[in-house]
Amino acid sequence: MAQDPKFTAREITQIGWYTARMAKRGIAGENVHLGDLQKKVDRIIDGAREREAQQAADAAEAEKAARKARAKNGKTRK
């Protein structure tokens, strides 16, 4: 399984809430369906992975722009 991303406070709270609901349903018996709550938790985790990937791409793009600006400024100062 892939490494879990760093979660925001909201994502942690949502996962905790759904986990508590799953536990409550688990008390009711083994035949209780938990798939809907598991899907919600999976969607939160997938969303966090996408957010982290987007942030990494944005940071890389910003670094590239900064390098380009430094190179341009360095050439004009001569």
Side-chain angles (χ1 to χ4, degrees):
M1 180 175 204
Q3 176 117 2
D4 286 337
K6 191 167 188 167
F7 296 110
T8 62
R10 178 182 176 159
E11 291 165 344
I12 292 170
T13 304
Q14 285 178 326
I15 290 172
W17 174 254
Y18 291 135
T19 303
R21 288 182 60 193
M22 283 188 265
K24 185 176 176 184
R25 286 187 188 179
I27 293 171
E30 292 181 18
N31 297 331
V32 178
H33 180 67
L34 300 175
D36 60 331
L37 296 175
Q38 291 169 343
K39 286 180 187 177
K40 288 180 182 185
V41 170
D42 290 341
R43 270 187 258 142
I44 293 169
I45 294 170
D46 291 341
R49 284 189 186 121
E50 290 174 9
R51 176 184 40 79
E52 249 188 13
Q54 182 63 42
Q55 286 175 344
D58 290 346
E61 186 177 325
E63 178 60 31
K64 182 179 177 183
R67 281 194 312 257
K68 186 175 180 181
R70 283 193 302 265
K72 182 179 178 182
N73 288 337
K75 289 180 183 176
T76 59
R77 290 186 184 188
K78 288 183 180 179

